[in-house]
């Protein structure tokens, strides 16, 4: 399990630079027709025995992890950068370890007062005058030390990557009655921009957006209200009934916030019926980020149950 | 238009910058461009329902590629929101204008008869400010526009609630002629570049179809460019813009977005788009090969029409080329003359690229 997560982390799939990871995912798929769409997502269709008249069920999962783009490199080798994810307290980045091209670097801060840290105070000391391996546009991410212990997977970015792995597992074990779509999407952290192609890639009957999030639940959680999205009640019923029938434990919740903007998924193409399901995670974006193996199994079973409807 | 040389390059930019066209009033610019391009010929002109103007340059059929070049016609400005008893006008900003650039500025308002009326944004002189008032800029809601009217009735002879306006300032050269100061450079400079390219191409047939899209509503974030991309369905879109630079005193090097005079910027990321690395690198390489001055944008800031274009039609490859502009969204935007020329050369070089190379690039992006 963790070997695959580590390999995925090495692809450094920060927002907008997921290509290497998507090629890796494609290589791990044992079934389905896959292609890279106009937004850069990997769209996969697993053919069923027939096509559903009401359109396919499509599962979408964001593949990007938080990272940084180098913005400028000073003559003494300081690499300034911009994060691809929202950071409320910039001082928390100081001292963190990032990885670029297999090498580890520390984020340092020139701020005299930590509370007043500005982005321009932070830099990576490449230690080389000119730091020729970096240029504006070079991307890098946090060092990820993913471990598996006592039924838990821990390590920064483990929640997103284990969610992606779960979806790969689901694709590989699926024997659908009807055509089923999977979208390994890009730029989830950037307001779900990759989802703009959902309605172009598939004849969508219903779309289930899978994501990992800090939520105090024990099982995969069906959201009856999400940021800028209230799913059709019929879709909530479809998911919960499918899970109940298959004996898959699940929770239901309604959360709001800026974390996920699914309007791109709803508005894509001719408009889509969308719901989201959350994999409970804790300590997201810290070294103690974790998800449980049981919830990952439950999520895979939920995908299989819903695609059988 | 009789003399074409008066309507190309910097002369054209000056004319475009003189047109008052805040968001919603782009018609003033599109009419001018439509007349100009009708005279130049070689393109098919059309409009859509959101006010975009298209100039389609048909290719010779050698390649099926479709390339769109776009620039927005609107500028930041304001709308009159009330007329007071003493003839002063209250207003609301349209687009990103900060309070610090307002007080004391000359403005032009599109009058009831479609002409313009001059005014000044009122400002208390320093002599009358309290110590506390001197510490902060007066907020826009406390400022008024003075058009010299003596009463509400007098003001209503010229303007009404809903009239639009913008800054009024001259187009001037300074720094021994190397720098230009003017209003509305964002994004008439993109429009001027597109008109120049159309003029350059008037007697030739490109290998692929090129749609020059003069778009609306960029400054309020509701982009006409989305409709343009859905209308033309390009394989690649080149978004021309002006970008804020901060090559100013007191700004550390790491915060300098770009430096005016060092060539147009090419972005790898801004607040609206993360551009494909393959495309970003392709532009850098093209500039290097053709010895065209350019600079990567060195700070993640701002956004532009690419935000909408790259999400259109299930995903569209896009790139952004911007002219570094000091004091953006103010009455006195400043650019380096040479950056304007370099931006034109760079776009021209990209459009002159072998279609097979461009096709390979687009295929590479989708691998």
């Amino acid at each position: 399990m963790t070997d695959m997560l580590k390999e995925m982390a090495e692809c450094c799939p920060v927002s907008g630079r997921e290509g290497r990871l998507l090629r890796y995912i494609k290589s791990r798929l044992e079934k389905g027709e896959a292609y890279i769409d106009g937004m850069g997502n990997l769209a996969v269709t697993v053919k069923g025995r027939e096509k559903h008249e009401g359109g396919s069920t499509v599962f979408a999962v964001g593949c990007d992890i938080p990272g940084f783009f180098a913005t400028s490199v000073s003559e003494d080798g300081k690499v300034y950068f911009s994060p691809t994810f929202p950071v409320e307290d910039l001082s928390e980045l100081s001292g963190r370890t990032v990885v670029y091209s297999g090498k580890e670097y520390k984020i340092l801060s020139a701020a005299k007062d930590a509370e007043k840290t500005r982005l321009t105070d932070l830099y990576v000391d490449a230690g080389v005058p000119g730091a020729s391996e970096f240029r504006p546009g070079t991307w890098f991410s946090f060092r990820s030390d993913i471990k598996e212990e006592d039924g838990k997977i821990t390590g920064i970015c483990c929640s997103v990557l284990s969610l992606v792995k779960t979806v790969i597992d689901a694709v590989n074990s699926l024997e659908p009655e009807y055509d089923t779509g999977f979208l390994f999407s890009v730029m989830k952290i950037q307001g779900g921009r990759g989802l703009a192609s959902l309605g172009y890639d598939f004849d969508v009957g219903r779309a289930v957006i899978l994501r990992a999030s800090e939520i105090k639940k024990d099982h995969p959680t069906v959201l009856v209200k999400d940021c800028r999205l209230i799913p059709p009640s019929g879709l909530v019923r479809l998911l919960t009934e499918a899970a109940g029938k298959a004996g898959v434990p699940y929770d239901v919740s309604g959360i709001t916030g800026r974390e996920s903007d699914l309007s791109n998924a709803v508005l894509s193409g001719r408009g889509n019926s969308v719901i989201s399901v959350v994999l409970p995670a804790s300590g997201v974006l810290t070294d103690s980020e974790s998800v449980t193996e049981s919830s990952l199994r439950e999520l895979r079973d939920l995908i299989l149950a819903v695609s059988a409807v | 238009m009789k003399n074409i040389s008066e309507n190309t390059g910097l002369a054209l930019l000056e004319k475009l910058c003189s047109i008052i066209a805040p968001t919603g009033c782009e018609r003033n610019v599109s009419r001018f461009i439509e007349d100009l391009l009708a005279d130049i010929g070689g393109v098919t002109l059309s409009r859509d329902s959101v006010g975009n103007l298209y100039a389609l340059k048909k290719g010779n059929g050698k390649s099926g590629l479709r390339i769109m070049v776009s620039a927005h016609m609107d500028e930041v400005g304001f709308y009159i929101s009330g007329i007071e008893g003493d003839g002063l006008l209250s207003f609301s900003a349209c687009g990103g204008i900060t309070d610090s650039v307002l007080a004391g500025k000359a403005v032009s308002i599109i009058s009831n008869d479609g002409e313009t009326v001059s005014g000044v944004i009122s400002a208390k002189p320093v002599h009358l400010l309290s110590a506390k008032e001197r510490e902060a800029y007066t907020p826009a809601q406390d400022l008024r526009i003075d058009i010299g009217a003596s009463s509400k009735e007098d003001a209503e002879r010229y303007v009404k609630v809903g009239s639009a306006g913008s800054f009024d300032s001259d187009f001037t050269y300074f720094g021994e002629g190397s720098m230009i100061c003017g209003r509305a450079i964002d994004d008439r400079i993109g429009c001027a570049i597109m008109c120049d390219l159309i003029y350059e191409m008037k007697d030739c047939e490109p290998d692929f179809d090129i749609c020059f899209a003069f778009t609306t509503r960029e400054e309020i974030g509701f982009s006409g460019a989305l409709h343009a991309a859905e209308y033309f369905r390009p394989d690649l879109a080149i978004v021309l813009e002006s970008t804020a630079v901060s090559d100013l005193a007191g700004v550390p090097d790491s915060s300098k977005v770009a430096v005016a005079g060092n060539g147009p910027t090419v972005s790898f990321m801004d607040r609206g788009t993360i551009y494909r690395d393959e495309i970003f690198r392709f532009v850098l390489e093209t500039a290097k090969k053709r010895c065209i001055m350019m600079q990567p944008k060195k700070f993640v800031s701002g956004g532009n029409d690419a935000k909408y274009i790259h999400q259109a039609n299930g995903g569209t490859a896009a790139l952004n080329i911007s002219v570094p502009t000091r004091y953006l969204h103010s009455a006195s935007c400043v650019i380096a003359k040479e950056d304007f020329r370099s931006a034109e050369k760079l776009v021209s070089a990209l459009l002159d690229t072998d279609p097979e190379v461009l096709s390979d690039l687009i295929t590479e992006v989708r691998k």
Side-chain angles (χ1 to χ4, degrees):
Chain A
M1 171 81 169
T2 52
D3 285 351
M4 187 167 164
L5 300 184
K6 282 175 187 167
E7 283 168 9
M8 289 201 278
E10 278 167 18
C11 295
C12 193
V14 307
S15 304
R17 300 290 179 263
E18 302 88 344
R20 202 175 141 203
L21 175 64
L22 295 180
R23 286 191 291 276
Y24 175 86
I25 293 169
K26 199 173 169 187
S27 74
R28 303 299 294 240
L29 294 174
E30 292 160 15
K31 57 176 74 167
E33 291 166 13
Y35 74 100
I36 301 288
D37 70 16
M39 286 302 299
N41 306 306
L42 178 68
V44 182
T45 300
V46 181
K47 289 275 179 203
R49 276 183 281 277
E50 55 185 306
K51 216 172 173 179
H52 197 291
E53 275 180 17
S56 303
T57 299
V58 180
F59 297 91
V61 57
C63 296
D64 49 329
I65 62 171
F68 307 88
F69 277 102
T71 49
S72 64
V73 184
S74 70
E75 284 179 5
D76 57 354
K78 286 178 184 163
V79 180
Y80 294 89
F81 57 81
S82 186
T84 63
F85 57 102
V87 185
E88 275 176 24
D89 180 0
L90 285 164
S91 69
E92 287 181 1
L93 293 178
S94 177
R96 303 289 294 270
T97 304
V98 294
V99 177
Y100 172 65
S101 204
K103 280 195 223 166
E104 293 187 3
Y105 300 92
K106 274 258 188 274
I107 294 178
L108 303 174
S109 174
K112 289 185 182 113
D113 178 353
E115 279 184 17
K116 290 180 184 164
T117 303
R118 296 168 307 169
L119 190 55
T120 50
D121 293 322
L122 299 171
Y123 60 94
V124 168
D125 191 352
V128 184
S132 58
E133 68 268 42
F134 290 95
R135 58 165 171 83
T138 299
W139 63 98
F140 48 94
S141 59
F142 290 112
R143 181 189 61 190
S144 183
D145 189 13
I146 297 175
K147 289 178 197 141
E148 194 176 1
E149 222 169 44
D150 300 331
K152 259 188 179 181
I153 295 162
T154 57
I156 196 162
C157 304
C158 74
S159 58
V160 171
L161 298 176
S162 49
L163 182 58
V164 170
K165 184 189 175 299
T166 300
V167 178
I168 295 172
D169 291 344
V171 172
N172 290 342
S173 47
L174 197 65
E175 294 293 343
E177 183 73 20
Y178 301 107
D179 289 1
T180 305
F182 293 87
L183 190 69
F184 294 89
S185 74
V186 298
M187 293 184 279
K188 181 252 168 196
I189 298 169
Q190 306 290 317
R193 285 182 208 155
L195 294 171
S197 64
L198 183 78
Y200 294 87
D201 293 331
F202 303 100
D203 174 19
V204 182
R206 59 213 69 80
V208 183
I209 313 295
L210 306 167
R211 61 190 173 91
S213 186
E214 220 51 72
I215 185 169
K216 287 187 175 25
K217 297 285 180 189
D218 298 321
H219 308 291
T221 302
V222 177
L223 294 188
V224 293
K225 185 179 185 306
D226 197 355
C227 173
R228 300 179 73 183
L229 172 71
I230 296 176
S233 56
L235 198 47
V236 176
R237 204 165 50 243
L238 185 144
L239 254 73
T240 52
E241 283 181 6
K245 211 169 152 187
V248 180
Y250 67 91
D251 283 311
V252 175
S253 180
I255 61 165
T256 56
R258 67 173 185 183
E259 188 178 357
S260 174
D261 183 355
L262 301 181
S263 50
N264 272 339
V266 175
L267 297 172
S268 176
R270 286 169 300 161
N272 304 300
S273 183
V274 176
I275 191 166
S276 54
V277 174
V278 168
L279 170 74
S282 62
V284 172
L285 266 191
T286 67
D287 290 329
S288 59
E289 180 173 332
S290 71
V291 289
T292 64
E293 289 187 84
S294 59
S295 62
L296 289 167
R297 274 195 303 273
E298 289 161 2
L299 186 68
R300 185 202 56 202
D301 293 345
L302 181 66
I303 295 170
L304 297 177
V306 173
S307 52
V309 175
Chain B
M1 188 201 65
K2 302 294 176 204
N3 186 347
I4 204 87
S5 66
E6 287 174 9
N7 287 291
T8 55
L10 294 168
L12 171 62
L13 178 63
E14 180 171 356
K15 283 185 183 174
L16 284 168
C17 288
S18 71
I19 302 169
I20 303 289
T23 308
C25 302
E26 295 93 342
R27 192 70 196 244
N28 299 335
V29 177
S30 68
R31 272 200 199 113
F32 176 90
I33 293 173
E34 205 169 6
D35 288 348
L36 175 74
L37 298 184
D39 278 359
I40 291 173
V43 285
T44 308
L45 299 172
S46 62
R47 290 175 177 279
D48 69 14
S49 56
V50 296
N52 293 325
L53 172 67
Y54 303 105
L56 177 64
K57 183 79 186 173
K58 280 299 277 180
N60 56 19
K62 193 175 163 188
S63 164
L65 272 180
R66 296 167 71 78
I67 308 292
M68 185 170 90
V69 188
S70 79
H72 66 90
M73 297 182 285
D74 59 324
E75 61 180 292
V76 294
F78 45 79
Y79 276 80
I80 303 305
S81 54
I83 303 175
E84 297 180 353
D86 54 6
L88 291 174
L89 317 176
S90 54
F91 62 96
S92 294
C94 167
I97 301 180
T98 58
D99 296 340
S100 63
V101 301
L102 289 172
K105 297 296 185 301
V107 297
S108 272
I109 303 166
I110 300 168
S111 59
N112 298 339
D113 60 6
E115 299 298 316
T116 55
V117 58
S118 296
V120 173
I121 299 178
S122 66
K124 250 193 213 182
V126 67
H127 321 70
L128 303 180
L129 293 175
S130 67
K132 201 180 168 193
E133 283 174 323
R134 286 183 203 184
E135 285 173 10
Y137 296 109
T138 311
Q141 73 254 27
D142 294 341
L143 294 170
R144 297 291 179 269
I145 292 172
D146 179 356
I147 56 166
S150 55
S151 64
K152 184 177 183 190
E153 291 71 27
D154 190 21
E156 282 173 340
R157 289 169 54 212
Y158 302 98
V159 297
K160 57 186 184 303
V161 170
S163 294
S166 189
F167 297 115
D168 186 6
S169 60
D170 290 335
F171 189 90
T172 55
Y173 292 88
F174 68 108
E176 297 182 339
S178 66
M179 307 298 284
I180 296 167
C181 175
R183 57 176 302 286
I185 281 178
D186 175 11
D187 185 26
R188 304 296 156 69
I189 196 157
C191 296
I193 290 170
M194 294 208 297
C195 291
D196 277 358
L197 291 170
I198 292 167
Y199 177 62
E200 269 176 28
M201 299 169 94
K202 69 183 167 59
D203 296 322
C204 67
E205 267 188 338
D207 288 335
F208 39 77
D209 290 355
I210 304 170
C211 179
F212 294 91
F214 299 87
T215 62
T216 57
R217 306 183 195 194
E218 193 272 350
E219 295 295 358
I220 56 164
F222 183 75
S223 171
L226 174 64
H227 298 271
E230 287 177 348
Y231 160 80
F232 185 65
R233 303 182 76 84
D235 297 300
L236 175 70
I238 302 171
V239 178
L240 304 181
E241 257 289 4
S242 52
T243 189
V245 299
S246 45
D247 52 342
L248 311 167
V251 177
D253 278 353
S254 55
S255 299
K256 287 176 180 167
V257 178
V259 176
N262 284 3
T265 64
V266 180
S267 305
F268 55 87
M269 179 185 179
D270 55 41
R271 294 274 169 234
T273 314
I274 299 176
Y275 301 87
R276 303 301 294 262
D277 194 47
E278 299 86 345
I279 295 174
F280 172 65
R281 280 188 284 116
F282 173 75
V283 181
L284 301 190
E285 281 157 20
T286 302
K288 198 175 169 187
K289 261 189 224 160
R290 307 270 187 128
C291 300
I292 300 166
M293 207 185 234
M294 58 76 55
Q295 51 189 324
K297 189 172 165 179
K298 288 198 282 186
F299 198 72
V300 175
S301 62
N304 56 60
D305 278 338
K307 175 181 176 181
Y308 298 93
I309 292 171
H310 92 287
Q311 294 183 72
N313 309 312
T316 302
L319 65 95
N320 164 237
I321 294 171
S322 295
V323 175
T325 308
R326 292 178 187 159
Y327 328 121
L328 199 69
H329 289 192
S330 79
S332 306
C333 304
V334 168
I335 58 163
K337 200 162 76 178
E338 209 48 47
D339 291 345
F340 172 58
R341 293 200 177 109
S342 298
E344 276 195 355
K345 282 184 201 163
L346 184 53
V347 184
S348 183
L350 292 170
L351 294 178
D352 189 37
T353 304
D354 184 328
E356 279 187 26
V357 173
L358 283 179
S359 291
D360 289 349
L361 175 70
I362 291 159
T363 308
E364 174 70 23
V365 164
R366 289 189 170 219
K367 261 187 194 166

